[in-house]
Structure formats: structure tokens, C-alpha cells
Amino acid sequence: MTAEEYFEIARDTVRRIERHPYMVQAMLSRETCKAQSYDSIGHGSGSTDARTLTDSRIDMEERFRRERTDMLAVVEDARAVCRGVRAANPHHSLWGDALELYYIEDMTIDTLACALYISRSQAYIELQRALEWVDSVGIARAKDGMGQAALF
């Protein structure tokens, strides 16, 4: 697995965690809506059983509770890799920040550039160099803060 693939998984996990409350709210809204049909009884196309909607929401929430610990571990592991990147590369201190802000905090390149007080093109370069460095030493070694990058 490449560093980019690894961090994309972390980003997708963060998005799933953040999306969960909105999904629950949408499901709650559907539960409170009363189905309406203009056809004769029994020919409606929508679900008229509120219990089915409630059961679906409860099942989804239970699934999320079971998966939440694993999802948080994925995100924390990615943060640990970012800390390792910072520790191993004091001359390239933006690398860990760029990885964490772009992938884990889910910033765009433009927002990342503003946060790091650098140009958009420089933000992209720092991000690519960080990914290349992690690929060169491996994710496990990067997490442990081992190895240092040669000055570019």
C-alpha cells in the first residue's frame, strides 16, 4: 500500500465518522414523516411501516457503534504517522502538517496553503514530497519517526 492510499483510507474514515450524525438525522426525519398514497389501500409505493424505518436506523446506529472504535484507531494511526514524519524530518517540518491537514482534517490544497502560509503550488509540492518520503521509508518506519530525508 502506498502512502497516498494509506492516507486516503484515513480521510475516508474521517468522512464516515463526520457523516454519521447527518445520516441519523435523515433517518429520524423519515421516521416522523407519514407516508401518503393516492392509490387505493395497499398500492402505495412508499414504506408505510414506521417500525421498519426505526429498526433500520437502530441497526445502522448499532453497526456504527461497533465500527467506531476501529475507525477511530485508523485515524489515530494516521495521526501517529504524521507525528513520526515531523519527528524524523525537522528540516521539513511542513510535511507532517501537510499530511495531517490535507488528509485527516480534509482540507483542500487552497485551504492547506492558507493554513501553512505558503503558496498553493508549494503546498502541493510539500504534500507530494511528504508522501514520497513515507513511501521511501515505509509507513511503519515513518510512524516510528525513523529515517531522515535528504535536504531537497
Side-chain angles (χ1 to χ4, degrees), residues 4 25 30 39 50-51 74 78 82 88 99 105 113 128 144 149 152:
E4 186 170 15
Q25 186 59 43
R30 283 195 303 270
D39 293 333
R51 284 179 283 154
V74 167
C82 294
L99 290 170
E105 298 301 324
Q128 292 308 307
D144 292 337
F152 284 95

Side-chain angles (χ1 to χ4, degrees), residues 70-86:
D70 293 337
M71 289 190 292
L72 290 173
V74 167
V75 174
E76 183 51 40
D77 191 67
R79 287 189 193 279
V81 172
C82 294
R83 284 191 298 272
V85 170
R86 285 185 201 98

Side-chain angles (χ1 to χ4, degrees), residues 48 74 86 88 103 126-128 131 144 150:
T48 58
V74 167
R86 285 185 201 98
Y103 288 105
E126 297 296 336
L127 189 61
Q128 292 308 307
L131 290 170
D144 292 337

Side-chain angles (χ1 to χ4, degrees), residues 23-95:
M23 292 172 56
V24 170
Q25 186 59 43
M27 293 179 97
L28 282 168
S29 295
R30 283 195 303 270
E31 287 176 36
T32 59
C33 293
K34 187 171 184 176
Q36 180 176 344
S37 171
Y38 295 101
D39 293 333
S40 60
I41 297 175
H43 291 92
S45 61
S47 174
T48 58
D49 186 5
R51 284 179 283 154
T52 302
L53 295 172
T54 302
D55 289 344
S56 295
R57 178 185 49 81
I58 291 170
D59 290 345
M60 189 265 301
E61 286 182 309
E62 181 58 34
R63 230 179 7 262
F64 183 79
R65 269 192 287 281
R66 285 192 309 265
E67 296 172 355
R68 184 173 171 81
T69 302
D70 293 337
M71 289 190 292
L72 290 173
V74 167
V75 174
E76 183 51 40
D77 191 67
R79 287 189 193 279
V81 172
C82 294
R83 284 191 298 272
V85 170
R86 285 185 201 98
N89 299 291
H91 298 298
H92 303 289
S93 60
L94 293 181
W95 289 0

Side-chain angles (χ1 to χ4, degrees), residues 115-151:
L116 297 178
Y117 300 104
I118 57 178
S119 69
R120 183 182 195 285
S121 60
Q122 189 63 37
Y124 181 79
I125 289 168
E126 297 296 336
L127 189 61
Q128 292 308 307
R129 286 181 178 167
L131 290 170
E132 289 169 6
W133 181 82
V134 173
D135 281 335
S136 73
V137 299
I139 293 168
R141 287 179 48 99
K143 182 178 173 182
D144 292 337
M146 301 176 81
Q148 287 188 343
L151 293 175

